[in-house]
């Protein structure tokens, strides 16, 4: 049996960190098992599904490196859902109901006020042919409910362990709307069956759906997959993440926060597991470390500060080849490995490299505290070619000549050469600044 999993977002909004964590966990599970990963767009809600959200989902997954082996779109499969629905109607498992939303609300409110669970009373099962004809004559259209078996439903969840539901505690779900459109509860099962999904890994908001869907798998004669329900991420305050929560969308982390894909993947692969969160530079490392049994049942909190710190640690480790494209996209065309290695320890996000590019390659207004000292230092600047030893040799000579040491020696040089008090090690920057610029800056000129 080939392991097959799916990530099944509805293209009704931007993916947020919680959604993409489920994509990542599915992908890691597939890769670890040598199986395949399906991207399925659950787009049967035609009012809310938008092509730009579908494109956004593909862009986000591609950016993270989560390539899909198979792709499906539910709106391509209406014919198949009709076929299955007709079979379920013929076997009596789908039955027509005519209550209006208002009538259903009243029924629910009355049950709740009696302290009873709001379970559909199956009144529609008692309608006669004549009743149905009358209702249709009044212009009502049927919606269709799935008739659950009133037997226990059980499965061993890969995250939650044994799960048990009483069939009598579940409400017969509506699978077909009155306009004839099939609903997710059905379409998902038909797809999982047809596409031979072996493991359904999703959020714990779907646990009750699973109880219902197991009965639908059985009713349509499809094998029941294994299930894993992950606790949902919350924000730092413990509140749930919503799809419309812009700041935690993958797009804004990428485009506004400058987060590296491996920073997000390193965090999301480990959040809520027994493993420590460490920077990882490749998805392969995360695959090697992945085990769904490490996912704990507690609610993991997503902390943007933690992501920002991890992003900095990842940047400090990334080799030039991995960032050359991003540096070019920032407009730093001549950036090379020497530049990258000089500045990367000082970056929180890659766009910060622009500041240091400006220091090494664009005019800087020096900060001059003591022009006399800078003149003495300039006179001692060695001839080029310069390398990583030049700074040490030069400042050694300045120290011997002037008697200055420590901060008194280094800070005025840094302020003159870079116009700032802090920054990358001057040993690395000096060769990038070059002798001509350095001489001018030491003379107080903008250069
Ligand atoms: N489209 C559903 C959702 O986004 C998929 C749930 C599932 O994985 O079955 O919640």
């Amino acid at each position: 049996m080939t392991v097959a999993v799916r990530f099944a977002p509805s293209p009704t909004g931007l993916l947020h960190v919680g959604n993409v964590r489920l994509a990542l966990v599915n992908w890691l599970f597939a890769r670890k098992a040598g199986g395949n990963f399906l991207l399925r767009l659950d787009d049967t809600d035609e009012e809310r599904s938008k092509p730009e959200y579908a494109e956004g989902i593909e862009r986000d997954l591609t950016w993270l490196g989560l390539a899909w082996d198979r792709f499906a779109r539910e709106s391509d499969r209406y014919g198949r859902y009709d076929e299955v629905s007709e079979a379920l109607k013929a076997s009596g498992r789908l039955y027509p109901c005519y209550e209006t939303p208002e009538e259903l609300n009243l029924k629910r409110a009355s049950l709740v006020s009696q302290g009873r669970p709001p379970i559909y009373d199956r009144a529609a099962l008692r309608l006669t042919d004549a009743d149905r004809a009358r209702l249709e004559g009044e212009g009502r259209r049927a919606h269709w409910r799935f008739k659950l078996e009133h037997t226990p439903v059980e499965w061993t969840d890969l995250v939650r362990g044994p799960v048990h539901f009483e069939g009598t505690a579940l409400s017969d779900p509506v699978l077909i709307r009155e306009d004839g459109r099939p609903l997710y509860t059905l379409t998902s099962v038909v797809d999982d069956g047809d596409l031979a999904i072996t493991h359904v890994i999703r959020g714990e908001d779907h646990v009750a759906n699973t109880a219902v869907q197991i009965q639908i798998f059985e009713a349509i004669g499809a094998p029941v997959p294994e299930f894993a329900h992950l606790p949902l991420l919350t924000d730092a305050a413990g509140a749930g993440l919503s799809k419309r929560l812009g700041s935690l969308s993958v797009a804004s982390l990428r485009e506004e926060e400058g987060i590296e894909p491996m920073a997000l993947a390193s965090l999301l692969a480990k959040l809520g597991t027994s493993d420590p969160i460490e920077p990882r530079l490749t998805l392969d490392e995360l695959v090697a470390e992945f085990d769904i049994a490490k996912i704990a049942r507690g609610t993991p909190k997503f902390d943007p500060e933690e992501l920002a710190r991890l992003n900095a640690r990842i940047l400090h480790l990334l080799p030039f080849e991995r960032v050359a494209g991003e540096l070019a996209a920032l407009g730093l065309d001549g950036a090379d490995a020497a530049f990258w290695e000089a500045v990367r320890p000082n970056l929180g996000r890659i766009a910060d490299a622009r500041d240091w590019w400006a220091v090494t390659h664009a005019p800087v207004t020096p900060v001059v505290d003591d022009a006399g000292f800078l003149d003495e230092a300039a006179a001692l600047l060695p001839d080029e070619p310069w390398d990583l030893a030049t700074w040490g040799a030069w400042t050694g000579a300045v120290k011997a000549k002037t008697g200055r040491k420590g901060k008194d020696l280094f800070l005025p040089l840094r302020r003159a050469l870079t116009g700032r008090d802090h920054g990358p090690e001057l040993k690395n920057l000096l060769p990038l600044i070059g002798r001509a610029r350095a001489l001018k800056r030491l003379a107080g000129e903008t250069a």
Side-chain angles (χ1 to χ4, degrees):
M1 179 189 73
T2 307
V3 164
V5 297
R6 84 292 195 286
F7 173 54
S10 304
T12 54
L14 299 175
L15 289 187
H16 61 57
V17 287
N19 309 126
V20 90
R21 166 172 172 258
L22 288 167
L24 176 66
V25 168
N26 271 286
W27 188 90
L28 292 170
F29 188 91
R31 289 291 171 272
K32 182 86 183 195
N36 65 69
F37 172 72
L38 164 75
L39 170 60
R40 182 182 93 200
L41 296 179
D42 284 2
D43 59 351
T44 54
D45 181 344
E46 295 195 349
E47 288 80 47
R48 291 173 56 228
S49 296
K50 300 264 181 306
E52 59 269 30
Y53 292 132
E55 283 155 26
I57 289 165
E58 296 193 23
R59 194 175 321 121
D60 291 346
L61 296 184
T62 302
W63 173 71
L64 273 170
L66 307 183
W68 48 97
D69 308 299
R70 299 190 290 167
F71 177 84
R73 196 191 298 276
E74 290 201 323
S75 58
D76 290 340
R77 293 174 42 78
Y78 285 126
R80 174 66 182 137
Y81 306 138
D82 284 348
E83 202 174 281
V84 173
S85 310
E86 290 312 313
L88 288 173
K89 288 177 188 172
S91 64
R93 292 304 294 277
L94 269 181
Y95 62 94
C97 304
Y98 295 87
E99 292 91 344
T100 61
E102 295 72 29
E103 287 165 348
L104 290 172
N105 280 339
L106 283 177
K107 286 191 188 200
R108 261 193 297 269
S110 146
L111 286 169
V112 169
S113 73
Q114 298 164 49
R116 291 163 59 194
I119 292 176
Y120 177 62
D121 61 7
R122 293 187 164 174
L125 277 180
R126 294 185 292 274
L127 295 175
T128 62
D129 287 347
D131 294 330
R132 280 194 285 271
R134 180 180 44 79
L135 289 163
E136 304 228 352
E138 287 169 9
R140 295 213 192 184
R141 306 266 314 269
H143 57 273
W144 297 75
R145 288 188 190 260
F146 179 70
K147 191 168 163 224
L148 289 166
E149 310 265 23
H150 282 172
T151 50
V153 184
E154 290 176 333
W155 74 93
T156 302
D157 196 281
L158 296 177
V159 172
R160 301 166 75 82
V163 183
H164 175 104
F165 272 87
E166 285 301 327
T168 46
L170 299 165
S171 208
D172 287 348
V174 177
L175 298 190
I176 313 285
R177 304 197 313 188
E178 62 175 29
D179 63 4
R181 281 277 155 69
L183 287 167
Y184 154 79
T185 311
L186 173 66
T187 56
S188 181
V189 171
V190 175
D191 295 340
D192 289 341
D194 288 354
L195 296 164
I197 297 301
T198 59
H199 295 78
V200 170
I201 303 171
R202 57 187 175 185
E204 67 184 7
D205 49 333
H206 286 288
V207 172
N209 281 339
T210 295
V212 164
Q213 288 180 324
I214 285 176
Q215 289 208 10
I216 302 176
F217 277 105
E218 287 165 349
I220 70 175
V224 179
E226 304 245 20
F227 290 91
H229 293 89
L230 274 61
L232 299 180
L233 293 193
T234 64
D235 67 14
L241 309 179
S242 131
K243 229 183 232 183
R244 277 153 288 278
L245 205 64
S247 67
L248 295 184
S249 71
V250 177
S252 88
L253 292 176
R254 175 179 62 236
E255 282 147 32
E256 279 144 47
E257 307 300 323
I259 295 297
E260 298 300 311
M262 280 312 302
L264 189 58
S266 297
L267 179 63
L268 294 180
K270 303 294 176 61
L271 208 55
T273 76
S274 49
D275 277 349
I277 294 167
E278 298 286 350
R280 294 286 178 256
L281 299 190
T282 63
L283 289 171
D284 285 348
E285 292 165 83
L286 295 176
V287 172
E289 293 162 345
F290 179 80
D291 181 352
I292 199 154
K294 291 179 182 171
I295 298 177
R297 287 198 56 182
T299 305
K301 281 199 168 74
F302 174 79
D303 176 3
E305 305 278 323
E306 186 173 22
L307 179 60
R309 285 193 298 273
L310 199 56
N311 196 59
R313 290 174 69 195
I314 295 258
L315 283 175
H316 304 170
L317 295 168
L318 280 175
F320 174 67
E321 311 79 74
R322 289 278 299 274
V323 294
E326 279 183 88
L327 292 174
L330 289 170
L332 313 189
D333 285 331
D336 58 7
F339 170 77
W340 176 246
E341 278 152 31
V343 306
R344 83 185 163 174
N346 288 73
L347 304 181
R349 52 174 90 185
I350 198 160
D352 299 346
R354 279 196 292 235
D355 292 346
W356 302 115
W357 183 256
V359 165
T360 52
H361 291 80
V364 163
T365 302
V367 178
V368 175
D369 302 313
D370 178 344
F373 167 67
L374 296 178
D375 282 344
E376 280 183 288
L380 293 167
L381 259 187
D383 286 332
E384 285 178 322
W386 284 359
D387 60 21
L388 297 183
T390 305
W391 169 256
W394 176 46
T395 53
V398 177
K399 180 178 176 183
K401 176 88 192 298
T402 63
R404 290 195 188 217
K405 55 183 193 300
K407 203 173 155 202
D408 283 345
L409 171 65
F410 297 120
L411 189 58
L413 296 178
R414 175 179 290 281
R415 284 158 64 92
L417 289 169
T418 68
R420 295 143 213 250
D421 289 357
H422 304 284
E425 283 191 55
L426 280 163
K427 156 170 102 60
N428 297 322
L429 284 188
L430 189 65
L432 302 173
I433 293 170
R435 194 168 194 276
R437 272 213 167 91
L439 279 174
K440 288 193 180 144
R441 292 179 188 177
L442 291 167
E445 287 170 44
T446 297

